[in-house]
Amino acid sequence: MTDQLLADEITAEQGEVDRMYDRLDILREQARTELDRVQIEETTGTGQGYTERESFTELFSGRFSQLSSVERGLCFGRIDETAGEQFHIGRIGLFDEDYEPLLIDWRTPVAQVFYRATAAEPLGVKRRRHIRLHGRSVVGVDDDLLDLDALGDGERSTLIGEAALLSSLTASRTGRMNEIVATIQSEQDQIIRSSLPGVLVVQGGPGTGKTVVALHRAAYLLYTHREQLGRSGVLVVGPNSTFNRYIDQVLPSLGETDVVLATISELYPGVEATAPESPEAARIKGDLAMAEVLAQAISSFRVVPAAPIQLKVDQHELVLRPSAIRKAQQGALAAQEQHNRARPIFVRRILKTLTRQIVERIGRQYVGTEDVEDIEKELAEDDRVLELLDRLWPELTPQLLLSVLFSSADRLTAAAPHLTDDERTAVLRPPTADWSRCDVALLDEAAELLGETSGIVAGRNRQAAEEAAAVEANREYAHGVIDIELTAERIEIMPWEIEQFKDLIAQRTRLIDNPLTLAERAASDRTWVFGHVIVDEAQELSAMDWRMLMRRCPRRSMTLVGDIAQTGSAAGVRSWADLLDRYAPRRWRTAELTVNYRTPTEIMTIAADVLAAIDPTLSPPTSVRETGVEPTILDVPAEDLADALRAAIKSEQQSIGDGRLAVIVPTSRYDELAAALPDATHTHDPSILDARTALLDVAQSKGLEFDAVLIADPTTITTDSPRGLSDLYVAITRATKHLTIVGNLPEVLTRVRRTPWG
């Protein structure tokens, strides 16, 4: 290869890329012209009505937003087919004035060969070209030769470079995840494009690209099944808020914004679950038995007294016997299982019982139908009767139920007799304590068992009436939506765009009825049912977490990505089969990612020892690269740990330059080491990702990657939790270039080569 050849190929590709950007500029100019016309008509009072102007303004604003989101790296590849066809691949589809394709959207079926073709199975492709852009300029091209025999002599002379994957792997980390749409590999592409129905489990070790595969799958499914998922949306569940910030730019860069990105802690609207929880409490609260515990706790609030209740209302001496109370409760629960929704039935039955007593005392011959209704109404408004009803069957909120249950040893013992004294002590807390992540699934379970209170139902009915009135008032504007064909003809937009415009204007009309975006409505509605749910680090979720998530997706259309070997939670998943045979029998399948793109061979050699200690039957993923840099292992006495860490931080900062360094410490020593290491930024806020040197515990580091990782006191990491070895495995595999381990070494690391300290 010569420099001139490379320059010629870059120049040729630059011409094609310039055509694509020229088309973008034309579309923008058309939009700008039409927006100017709308503004002039609004100023002068001419032209169409308010709704047309608003709709068209929003239409082209949305178009601008889409084009801007893909401006960076619009085109990233080219396919040369054996049959002679040649087409470019990019982040969106783009056509010229004659509706000839300039750029093929990466999600379309025709683009699959860009990711799946190999030399062993070229799929009709003779050459795959990777194109690297900086702004609008082509700065590099790399060719994958897939079928040499199909290349002509002229084509053979233009072969350039090497595959693009390794160059992307060696780039420095930025604190945010980048999309991999330009370098998706065959096994990843097959998972991304797997069919929608059922549960797909993507099992893969560290660095295999599970997260980026899951996010690209979200973009692919939204593109391919737009009509179905556009109505119900996609939920992406990440392990923590730091991780979610790390990935929050991936889907927008792929042109998708209508996705709910949340953690388990954020799935109960109105509750901020940030309080810490002990591993023992997390295990107990995550156990499936808690569903029955909550049901028993709720039933204990429905009281049947041992003796009759004497009640005086006006001049009437009334008696409410236990048998009547029990019968009223049974009848209410037979009609409605949810506690709060069954309560009005119970109340009506008790009021009728008391009303009959009053009628019998007065004499039935003296009481008409209207009189009976008046008596019942007066009873329903009597403070003593209301107090009695609240005592026999109180309304409960999920928050009140859990606060009372976990602050009362007696109630907890009655509802959970299977717990030991130590286990009850682990979950007991003050009634005003803040909520933890483990409480969210319990609140959700309680909400399912309780149903809404009468106040919430009344408030929602009022809001619905107000919204209905607003919708009727706005429908007059909806009738003025533009005649799209005439408008399209006047501004000379392409006929193929008409259908897109119709869809966008239809969205505008729906917005009149629902002013919030789908993502906003879904995030604020606990009962929202999603079309597809994606869960990252799925092995960390407890059995109660899964009950909550399965309610969000009754159709069981889900993608779960994780690694059983990395399970750190004592309540986490031990077997995909045990989990999914319960919720989706015969409707789940697995796919495995086997290639480690993140972690170099030198680091995975150490990680493999830890994995073998976790489970000898497990095999680590195969690393695709070596760095030539062996990890640094320092066995340091406890009294020298802080000094050794400070020295190691300075050394790593110098070696990685502008890269990112993570100092991963035991959770139990986080505050102590944060105070001792002033050069490392420490916070549990997601802004930690912006720090060049970040101090994290293992939970914070899950799913993240850094140029270099410094692990402090690995022995304490292994003893901090029942799954300590898994935590150490996670910590070791966060680095893309260099790893340093400092402190008292656990037995699993004693055979690695060490560097003397001091």
Side-chain angles (χ1 to χ4, degrees), residues 130 148 194 322 383 410:
H130 301 271
L148 180 62
S194 181
D383 290 341
D410 291 340

Side-chain angles (χ1 to χ4, degrees), residues 113-124:
V113 293
F114 182 79
Y115 304 108
R116 296 194 181 181
T118 64
E121 191 174 359
L123 303 177

